[in-house]
């Protein structure tokens, strides 16, 4: 394993130290492992807190800032954060209008956020939680842990963040978050596994011409292994999976997300194919993100997330945002 | 089984989880995200200084402390689950000076209930519950059969181990392994393996 | 080789198609392979054109937009663009105040830009060129091709772009570009090689615990091979190389740049070490970029670029910019 | 050597560059950026349709066309260098109906001058110049010796090849290979190898 780390035990705090130095507009509590806006909570604004395992950067720490999150709680690599982090973040961002927890659907995240919600109630902070579960590779069923939360988290954080910034009350912010999640679907394809610092070798092995279809964002193997194909066919496999689950039509918000080890030039190639696919279905990529947003350490591959837009969601998507990883349209 | 016995149990868990860390992580690499060993080792390693500092004098306080420390330090699915289990056991045992096997059964049942309340896993879902329930059943059977404490605990440890091994052919329906669908078949559940370790540690202490 | 491409011959045009679809604020001429601002040239504003081989994304195409480049000319992967592209871009962005060519110091780039300048003169467009040569891994000498142009290109494009946007004449824009280059130094470390689509396997092989010190951005091997070390030591090797060449002091603009295959979390770890190093030297990272800016396809590794700031350069750095890959402070 | 002869030469270059593409790229992988074969193949492949469309009727027009097409399509260092060389040769040969070996020498000297004006490489810098100069010298010697055209060209091709091989021990001082410093030693320069190919193609056509 060749990684730019000092010690497998100190990966997260060392990275937080760098994040803090690079972004004076954030307040990074390295001890408690929470990342906040330096400006602190705005009275009367709903606070947005997300969190999850590290290794998905820029998710979530890179999305803290004006128009998006108020706090992020990074756990150990691929391990959900713990309740004491989250309760501290929740308390810190509470401006009196309650706090929305944005939770990706993984047992660990769900359980730890659930404990946090109980603790928050004890502290008289009104907390609501939205569960993001957009990954169609996992079949949803009451007999399973349900779909994973992946790329749609970025959409939920951006759009709910914009509404919170506009001063909407908690139940409306929750509602729009749930709506974005309901309209969003993701599917990922891995060309390689990833290597966690703790393990030091790839979580799974893939042959020279093999890929994994339906990967998650933790180096989990996918649902099936398949032969490598041209970008056009891979984009089509992913889009078909999304379309089968929720037919694609109209103005669509599209993210072609790199898993961490894939160059941007390749993501643009995939995006071009996605645009063609959408056109076939009479839809179009009205808004888009192409780049590394929800990564899985050094994994090579991509995921596609789509979200059917309406006028209101488009306006909220377009609203100013100023975070390390997403920024546009902010008045200075 | 007095507070010192339980303290020895926890120490033995700390030791064996550390020794078996890589094996647990390897199991998790096959069906999960390759962190179970690291998670538990981080959590139990944090327990030692906490206990040294606080020196809880009742079994209940001890186990609650262990549970809280796991919740604070593990994260992931296993942190809240094991954390809650130790907390619930602690609540049941309270300041009982000398815990009988029957009382231990009650405490473990409470721990299991905590786990199931949080995670809603039932037997056959390919989780740590599949090691825990057989262990509790074996212990309860031993109580009914009136066997000696040491023998009862040995039976529980054997049942936990068998339960963990029995997860190999199962199709996961809870936790990350469930994402794999049929590909989860053929691998031992890492949480079940760590539960078996925890009972093996109990057995080690009981046979001292 | 597993790459998200359709055909090794169509990598650049396919990616440009994706870029065009993702960024309506750009005008992408896929035929001529030039990327322009959709708004076109502003009369009286100096035009900024850069270009170079593809495979370094977001450089240069991702830096076209308000406050930075007016046009980028992407060549084939790792191959400088050709004069007819550049002359077309030069003509397209000329608002009557002349055009600055930002040229990375590689024989191919230099020769092709030189031919373009001759053609521009024939068309009566005033053209000046700045040669970026910041890479201290290569010893500068009149007996060699000289230092390579790497990360400092981003600084030159941003700062010269800001001055051009402010309406400065060509000779001033050229002067600030040269000043930024003179104040900037870079050094890169590769943990892996990269794989060009045309070759299909890594350009060079590295052992499990080996790294290359002093790599360029084209998968060239570095100057020396060394043993893998913790991030702290690698950051120090790079910073020592920069400091030996041009002592570091005062307010410094720092970029910790990923080579394409390195996760962001690791780049933050490196940046934390850089901050410590600067403190030792009595300097500080007054401004910074941490991320993938000047990449080398899927190479794992990083480069560090430093530039000594003064008040004027800091102001120009802070000036609004709105491009796909760099954006801040723009009034909407 | 009439215009048809030069057209055959260009066709033969197009063919051999395509065949040797991977070898040239491999040489470039060792000391450069692994694109020399792809660059030249892209450039010469573009020449064929251009010539088919324009059918230049003089050697000068033909070679200028080749040079322009290389400049338009190759990029990199080799595009302008080879492009300029063919253009300069075309300028010298103009509408000469039947080019003598001596005239070819003059044209090649002009091509070399174009290359050196652009790239400033001298012999020993480990570039294509190290294959080109020996080839020209061999040709000039052959003229002085009054040998037959075919023999003269064979000598030039052999000299180019030897020149290319002689770059192996050299330390690069121009182009990307120069970044490697001492590590450039021990590898053949890709541009010198492609220059040798171009002279080999000339020889093939001359011996038909
Ligand atoms: N809902 C659940 N109920 C009981 N146990 C569970 C549940 N979900 C997961 N587990 C257990 O947790 C183990 C994984 O723990 P760990 O790897 O530490 O957490 P994570 O899955 O968050 O990475 C699984 O092997 C399984 O035994
Ligand atoms: N200054 C120069 N003068 C003459 N030839 C040069 C010079 N620089 C590079 N070359 C030749 O160009 C060859 C490389 O061509 P190519 O790989 O196509 O371009 P690039 O180096 O831009 O990738 C080198 O092998 C060398 O022979
Ligand atoms: Mg985990
Ligand atoms: Mg796990
Ligand atoms: Mg090249
Ligand atoms: Mg080359």
């Amino acid at each position: 394993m060749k990684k730019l780390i000092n010690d497998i035990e100190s990966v997260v705090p060392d990275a937080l130290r760098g994040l803090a130095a690079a972004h004076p507009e954030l307040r990074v509590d390295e001890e408690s492992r929470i990342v906040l806006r330096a400006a602190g909570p705005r009275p009367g604004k709903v606070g947005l807190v997300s969190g999850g395992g590290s290794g998905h950067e820029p998710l979530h720490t890179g999305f803290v800032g004006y128009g998006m999150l108020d706090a992020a709680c990074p756990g150990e690599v691929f391990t959900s954060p713990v309740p004491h982090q989250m309760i501290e973040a929740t308390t810190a961002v509470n401006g009196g209008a309650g706090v929305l927890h944005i939770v990706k659907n993984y047992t660990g995240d769900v359980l730890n956020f659930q404990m946090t919600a109980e603790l928050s109630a004890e502290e008289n902070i009104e907390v609501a939680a939205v569960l993001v579960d957009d990954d169609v590779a996992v079949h949803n069923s009451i007999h399973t842990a349900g779909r994973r939360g992946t790329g749609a988290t970025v959409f939920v954080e951006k759009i709910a963040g914009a509404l919170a910034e506009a001063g909407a009350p908690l139940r409306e912010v929750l509602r729009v978050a749930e709506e974005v999640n309901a309209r969003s679907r993701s599917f990922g394809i891995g060309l390689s596994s990833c290597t966690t610092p703790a393990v030091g070798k790839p979580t799974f092995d893939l042959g020279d011409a093999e890929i994994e279809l339906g990967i998650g964002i933790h180096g989990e193997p996918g649902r099936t292994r398949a032969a490598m194909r041209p970008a056009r066919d891979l984009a089509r496999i992913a889009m078909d999976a999304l379309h089968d689950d929720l037919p694609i039509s109209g103005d669509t918000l599209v993210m072609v997300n790199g898993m961490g080890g894939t160059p941007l030039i390749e993501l643009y190639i995939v995006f071009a194919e996605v645009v063609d696919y959408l056109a076939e279905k009479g839809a179009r990529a009205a808004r888009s993100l192409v780049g590394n947003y929800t990564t899985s350490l050094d994994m090579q591959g991509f995921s596609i997330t789509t979200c059917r837009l309406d006028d209101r969601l488009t306006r909220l998507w377009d609203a100013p945002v100023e975070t390390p990883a997403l920024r546009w349209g902010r008045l200075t | 089984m007095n507070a010192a016995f339980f303290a020895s149990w926890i120490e033995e868990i700390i030791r064996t989880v550390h020794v078996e860390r890589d094996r647990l992580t390897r199991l998790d690499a096959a069906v999960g995200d390759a962190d179970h060993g690291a998670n538990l080792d981080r959590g139990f390693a944090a327990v030692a200084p906490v206990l040294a500092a606080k020196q809880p004098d009742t079994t209940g306080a001890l186990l609650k402390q262990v549970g809280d420390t796991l919740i604070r330090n593990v994260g992931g699915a296993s942190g809240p689950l094991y954390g809650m289990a130790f907390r619930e056991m602690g609540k049941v045992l309270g300041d009982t000076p000398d815990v009988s096997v029957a009382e231990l059964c009650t405490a473990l049942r409470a721990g299991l209930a905590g786990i199931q309340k949080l995670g809603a896993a039932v037997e056959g879902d390919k989780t740590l519950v599949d090691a825990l329930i057989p262990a509790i059943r074996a212990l309860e059977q031993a109580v009914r059969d009136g066997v000696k404490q040491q023998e009862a605990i040995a039976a529980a440890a054997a049942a936990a181990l068998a339960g963990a091994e029995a997860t190999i052919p199962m199709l996961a329906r809870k936790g990350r392994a469930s994402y794999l669908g049929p590909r989860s078949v053929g691998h031992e559940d890492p949480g079940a393996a760590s539960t078996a370790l925890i009972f093996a540690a109990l057995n080690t202490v009981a046979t001292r």
Side-chain angles (χ1 to χ4, degrees), chain A residues 211-260:
Chain A
I211 58 175
E212 284 278 337
L213 302 180
I215 47 147
I217 56 172
H218 301 87
E220 316 92 310
R223 277 239 144 195
T224 46
R225 194 159 280 203
M228 182 60 188
R229 290 168 173 78
R232 186 172 297 126
D233 302 351
L234 296 180
R236 184 161 289 274
I237 288 171
M239 291 304 290
D240 278 344
L242 304 185
H243 185 66
D244 281 356
D245 198 87
L246 183 70
I248 290 168
S249 67
D251 277 9
T252 306
L253 169 59
V254 179
M255 177 166 74
V256 170
N257 169 64
M259 301 312 295

Side-chain angles (χ1 to χ4, degrees), chain A residues 29-106:
Chain A
D29 184 333
E30 292 158 36
E31 188 60 39
S32 302
R33 298 199 183 176
I34 56 180
V35 177
L36 305 159
R37 301 190 197 178
R42 214 176 70 208
K45 181 183 126 21
V46 168
L48 260 67
V49 174
S50 192
S54 291
H56 309 302
E57 290 66 26
L59 190 83
H60 300 272
T61 50
F63 297 129
V64 175
Y66 181 86
M68 219 161 158
L69 296 179
D70 293 276
C73 304
E76 281 295 322
V77 173
F78 291 171
T79 302
S80 24
V82 298
H84 86 268
Q85 261 174 290
M86 298 180 184
I87 185 72
E88 209 172 307
T90 303
T91 309
V93 308
N94 180 29
V99 174
L100 180 70
H101 286 172
I102 299 173
V103 187
K104 300 195 297 304
N105 188 32
Y106 298 100

Side-chain angles (χ1 to χ4, degrees), chain B residues 1-195:
Chain B
M1 294 170 278
N2 59 14
F5 175 92
F6 282 97
S8 305
W9 178 34
I10 300 302
E11 272 162 33
E12 182 61 15
I13 297 175
I14 295 171
R15 201 187 61 75
T16 51
V17 161
H18 186 69
V19 169
E20 299 287 327
R21 169 191 170 118
D22 289 348
R23 183 172 67 87
L24 295 175
T25 289
R26 259 200 316 278
L27 292 175
D28 200 24
V31 293
D33 59 348
D35 62 358
H36 188 55
N39 286 348
L40 286 193
D41 192 28
R42 181 174 59 251
F44 279 105
V47 165
V50 169
L51 295 187
K54 304 237 172 164
Q55 307 220 333
D57 50 5
T58 68
T59 300
L62 171 84
L63 296 181
K64 251 188 107 253
Q65 204 57 253
V66 170
D68 285 342
T69 307
L70 294 181
I71 291 171
R72 273 189 93 84
N73 291 283
V74 175
S78 57
L81 292 168
Y82 276 127
M84 186 60 89
F86 279 101
R87 278 179 60 102
E88 294 296 316
M89 287 176 68
K91 278 198 215 160
V92 167
L93 296 179
D95 56 5
T96 314
D98 208 348
V99 176
S100 69
V101 174
E103 284 164 332
L104 181 60
C105 285
T106 313
L108 286 167
R109 277 280 170 204
L112 171 64
I115 286 171
Q116 291 186 311
K117 180 164 168 261
L118 272 181
V122 296
E123 264 188 290
D125 282 352
K126 193 173 183 125
T127 71
L128 51 85
V129 160
D130 291 308
L132 181 53
I133 292 182
I136 298 176
R137 280 209 199 101
L139 214 53
E140 288 170 340
Q141 186 61 44
V143 171
R144 280 194 296 275
D145 295 350
V147 305
K148 283 211 316 270
Q149 170 178 311
Q150 193 177 311
E151 224 173 281
I153 288 175
L161 196 64
E165 278 165 10
T167 63
I168 296 177
M170 290 178 185
L171 185 112
R173 281 192 296 257
K174 282 284 177 287
R176 284 179 199 287
S178 68
Y179 305 142
L180 287 181
R183 293 174 85 184
S184 65
V185 170
H187 301 280
E188 184 175 346
D189 176 63
S194 60
T195 292

Side-chain angles (χ1 to χ4, degrees), chain A residues 105-106 132-141 144 146-152 181-189 213-216 222-224 235-248 277 303-307, chain B residues 178-180:
Chain A
N105 188 32
Y106 298 100
V132 182
D133 62 344
D134 54 316
D135 183 354
V136 302
V138 173
H139 295 294
N140 215 352
S141 149
T144 70
R147 276 178 174 148
R148 295 176 288 221
T150 59
N181 180 56
R183 288 166 172 258
S184 297
R185 295 293 185 276
S186 292
F187 190 86
I189 296 183
L213 302 180
I215 47 147
R223 277 239 144 195
T224 46
R236 184 161 289 274
I237 288 171
M239 291 304 290
D240 278 344
L242 304 185
H243 185 66
D244 281 356
D245 198 87
L246 183 70
I248 290 168
Y277 186 98
S303 64
I304 304 178
T305 305
T306 55
C307 174
Chain B
S178 68
Y179 305 142
L180 287 181

